[in-house]
């Protein structure tokens, strides 16, 4: 009888470990020594191993945990196929993952061809359906996992769009994003090497993938840097040999993390947390035509940083190192890099935010652009500020067609915004 009880406890111990691993694979808990969940599981294991005779509470607790663990695991597996469309409001989230060889960088699944509907990140943060500006979207990637057609790498490339979600064309259908317009309307054979992330991510993507592209001497690189968050993004070493590449077991662990990140249960919990934490950062205003327009408080704060505050930022040295490395690499490869500073929506529509008379916002360079321009001159890069151009075009676009340059529920340009920016960039010499 005693031996039978020992076997039963051993079996239950294995089930507890399996249940914990199931929760880990589902992306709901980490395996870390400082994790309170891990200590909780350790307590359950102790309760399983030791003979707690006359303590039915622990038996019920073990059974409850085991049942819950496997139920959540099976629900997660099923949810990945059933709930994915409801849990991801934009395809860039649905198909994105952290690249296993180097997890600081993101990638998209290769050869995606998606058609559906999307709406803005600010409406998602606010969690209010009536604030959504829903629109159809086409999203395609090539064999490298970037947002291009499958013919993008054929022949000599005239231009590379390099940047974050603005270069990616977040929220806009494939045929109306910047890289597509540069090619179809202005005859520049263009490759879109943009993904969500900061200047350091963009630089690494160019370093890692340039050999895959059919460039020519003098190929232009339009490097887009956003005032709203690119100074605050992650930075690291600019030398490839100093990067912590995942090999062997670490690569397998990184691949498992890729699987975990797509957990449907994790997405549900993150959506709940996202809305709870971010809703307070969304501001709403009424535009001239009565349309609700949303703004993002952290971007407003970033756009109003003084030159002194930018220079005192913890990442300013890393940004300068990244820019210097870009200049050196471009010179070695015969690339012509043009750095383009992108304003936030509140910089262009500040009169809406401040409830001032229509089109009363006047141009003045942000503290970020002032420092960015200073650093660029120091390392030998040419810079362009899109802010004055967009201030002018925001008024004429509305007078012509009643359109804004940003989605009203989003932090990104809309179709008209991409259309207005494309001739500015195509005309850069």
């Amino acid at each position: 009888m005693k031996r039978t009880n020992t076997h039963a406890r051993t079996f239950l111990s294995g089930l507890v470990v399996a249940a914990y691993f199931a929760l880990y694979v589902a992306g709901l808990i980490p395996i870390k020594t400082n994790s309170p969940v891990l200590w909780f599981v350790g307590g359950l294991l102790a309760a399983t191993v030791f003979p707690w005779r006359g303590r039915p509470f622990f038996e019920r607790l073990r059974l409850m945990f085991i049942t819950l663990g496997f139920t959540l695991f099976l629900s997660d597996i099923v949810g990945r196929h059933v709930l994915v469309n409801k849990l991801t409001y934009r395809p860039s989230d649905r198909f994105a993952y952290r690249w296993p060889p180097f997890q600081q960088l993101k990638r998209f699944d290769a050869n995606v061809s998606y058609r559906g509907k999307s709406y803005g990140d600010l409406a998602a943060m606010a969690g209010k359906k009536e604030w959504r500006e829903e629109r159809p979207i086409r999203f395609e990637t090539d064999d490298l996992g970037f947002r291009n057609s499958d013919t993008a790498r054929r022949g000599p490339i005239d231009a590379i769009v390099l940047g974050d979600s603005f270069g990616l064309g977040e929220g806009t259908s494939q045929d109306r994003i910047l890289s597509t317009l540069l090619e179809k309307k202005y005859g520049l054979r263009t490759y879109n090497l943009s993904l969500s992330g900061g200047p350091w991510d963009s630089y690494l993507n160019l370093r890692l993938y340039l050999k895959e592209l059919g460039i020519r001497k003098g190929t232009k690189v339009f490097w887009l840097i956003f005032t709203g968050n690119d100074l605050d993004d992650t930075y690291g070493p600019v030398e490839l040999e100093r990067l912590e590449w995942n090999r062997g077991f670490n690569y397998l662990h990184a691949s498992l993390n890729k699987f975990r990140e797509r957990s449907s249960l994790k997405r549900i919990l993150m959506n709940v947390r996202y809305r709870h934490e971010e809703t307070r950062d969304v501001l709403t205003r009424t535009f001239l035509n009565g349309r609700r327009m949303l703004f993002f408080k952290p971007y407003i704060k970033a756009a109003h940083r003084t030159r002194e505050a930018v220079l005192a930022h913890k990442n300013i040295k890393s940004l300068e190192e990244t820019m210097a490395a870009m200049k050196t690499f471009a010179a070695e490869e015969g690339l012509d890099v043009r750095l383009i500073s992108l304003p936030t929506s509140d910089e262009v529509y500040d009169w809406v935010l401040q409830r001032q008379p229509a089109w009363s916002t006047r141009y003045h360079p942000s503290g970020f652009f002032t420092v960015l321009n200073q650093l660029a001159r120091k390392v030998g890069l040419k810079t362009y500020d899109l802010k004055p151009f967009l201030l002018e075009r925001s008024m004429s676009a509305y007078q012509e067609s009643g359109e804004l340059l940003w989605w009203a529920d989003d932090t990104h340009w809309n179709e008209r915004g991409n259309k207005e920016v494309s001739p500015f960039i195509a005309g850069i010499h």
Side-chain angles (χ1 to χ4, degrees):
M1 184 70 176
K2 184 176 180 181
R3 185 178 182 84
T4 302
N5 289 338
T6 301
H7 287 164
R9 287 196 296 271
T10 302
F11 176 70
L12 287 173
S13 299
L15 286 180
V16 170
V17 173
Y20 181 73
F21 183 72
L23 289 171
Y24 167 75
V25 170
L28 295 175
I29 52 178
I31 296 181
K32 295 180 179 178
T33 55
N34 63 348
S35 168
V37 181
L38 184 58
W39 288 100
F40 174 68
V41 173
L44 287 175
L45 285 172
T48 304
V49 172
F50 292 101
W52 294 92
R53 292 181 180 178
R55 301 292 180 90
F57 168 76
F58 288 101
E59 297 298 329
R60 291 195 296 269
L61 188 62
R62 285 194 295 265
L63 181 60
M64 179 184 71
F65 182 82
I66 293 167
T67 303
L68 178 63
F70 281 104
T71 300
L72 288 175
F73 178 66
L74 292 175
S75 300
D76 178 70
I77 297 300
V78 173
R80 289 168 186 251
H81 302 284
V82 177
L83 299 176
V84 66
N85 284 329
K86 295 183 180 295
L87 297 175
T88 52
Y89 65 94
R90 52 189 182 187
S92 59
D93 288 334
R94 177 178 178 179
F95 300 109
Y97 64 92
R98 292 193 177 276
W99 194 40
F102 184 64
Q103 283 204 83
Q104 281 81 349
L105 296 180
K106 291 183 180 180
R107 289 291 177 272
F108 292 123
D109 291 329
N111 302 313
V112 170
S113 181
Y114 170 85
R115 284 167 175 77
K117 290 186 176 181
S118 184
Y119 55 90
D121 53 5
L122 294 178
M125 291 179 197
K128 296 189 177 183
K129 291 184 178 180
E130 64 272 20
W131 289 9
R132 296 177 184 175
E133 188 177 5
E134 291 196 354
R135 56 266 192 185
I137 190 168
R138 180 166 63 88
F139 186 91
E140 296 178 356
T141 64
D142 60 12
D143 58 337
L144 295 181
F146 292 93
R147 198 176 183 187
N148 300 280
S149 68
D150 58 0
T151 62
R153 288 190 286 142
R154 297 179 188 172
I157 292 174
D158 300 312
I160 297 172
V161 174
L162 184 67
D164 58 7
S165 52
F166 282 84
L168 169 66
E170 190 69 83
T172 297
S173 199
Q174 190 104 352
D175 56 333
R176 300 181 183 182
I177 62 176
L178 181 60
S179 56
T180 304
L181 295 175
L182 288 176
E183 180 156 334
K184 291 188 175 180
K185 295 188 66 175
Y186 300 98
L188 294 174
R189 191 162 193 81
T190 305
Y191 190 84
N192 191 351
L193 199 61
S194 301
L195 280 163
S196 295
W200 181 64
D201 305 67
S202 300
Y203 164 73
L204 288 182
N205 282 330
L206 187 66
R207 285 288 306 268
L208 293 170
Y209 284 95
L210 187 66
K211 298 301 182 184
E212 303 285 343
L213 308 181
I215 64 167
R216 58 174 177 75
K217 185 174 179 59
T219 292
K220 287 186 171 64
V221 178
F222 299 121
W223 192 14
L224 312 181
I225 296 186
F226 179 49
T227 302
N229 61 9
D230 277 359
L231 182 59
D232 303 304
D233 273 316
T234 302
Y235 287 83
V238 296
E239 302 86 2
L240 296 185
E241 60 273 11
R242 290 180 58 199
L243 300 179
E244 296 181 3
W245 297 98
N246 288 318
R247 298 181 177 89
F249 176 79
N250 287 337
Y251 181 84
L252 294 177
H253 185 254
S255 299
L256 178 59
N257 282 339
K258 173 184 173 181
F259 177 79
R260 293 177 69 224
E261 283 198 350
R262 298 191 171 190
S263 164
S264 56
L265 294 177
K266 183 179 180 181
R267 288 175 188 266
I268 291 173
L269 294 178
M270 288 182 66
N271 285 346
V272 172
R273 178 183 176 187
Y274 190 53
R275 291 178 181 178
H276 175 72
E277 293 182 351
E278 302 291 347
T279 299
R280 62 181 179 271
D281 286 331
V282 179
L283 291 176
T284 178
R285 294 289 187 269
T286 302
F287 197 66
L288 295 177
N289 55 6
R291 174 188 295 179
R292 180 182 286 106
M293 191 173 184
L294 306 181
F295 297 93
F296 192 42
K297 287 183 183 178
Y299 288 179
I300 297 171
K301 182 178 179 181
H304 286 83
R305 283 176 179 145
T306 64
R307 176 179 177 275
E308 291 70 27
V310 174
L311 287 171
H313 196 281
K314 64 178 182 178
N315 287 338
I316 195 64
K317 183 177 179 181
S318 297
L319 175 60
E320 182 178 1
E321 290 175 353
T322 303
M323 293 168 64
M326 175 68 84
K327 174 61 179 178
T328 300
F329 178 68
E332 293 172 352
E333 299 294 335
L335 300 172
D336 183 6
V337 177
R338 306 301 171 96
L339 195 156
I340 303 167
S341 175
L342 314 182
T344 61
S345 61
D346 65 280
E347 290 183 88
V348 174
Y349 293 101
D350 184 65
W351 60 272
V352 181
L353 182 65
Q354 304 299 333
R355 298 187 173 95
Q356 297 294 322
W359 319 114
S360 59
T361 302
R362 295 291 178 265
Y363 171 71
H364 59 84
S366 66
F368 178 69
F369 175 75
T370 301
V371 174
L372 190 69
N373 189 43
Q374 174 184 328
L375 297 180
R377 289 177 179 273
K378 182 177 179 181
V379 302
L381 290 174
K382 296 180 180 179
T383 57
Y384 302 83
D385 189 0
L386 259 178
K387 182 177 176 180
F389 174 78
L390 290 177
L391 277 171
E392 176 187 343
R393 293 306 302 165
S394 66
M395 180 171 68
S396 56
Y398 183 74
Q399 291 172 342
E400 291 168 7
S401 61
E403 293 177 286
L404 301 175
L405 303 186
W406 269 256
W407 297 108
D409 66 343
D410 206 311
T411 58
H412 300 94
W413 298 326
N414 59 15
E415 296 170 352
R416 181 62 185 253
N418 281 277
K419 180 181 177 181
E420 295 291 347
V421 169
S422 57
F424 177 94
I425 292 181
I428 290 177
H429 298 290

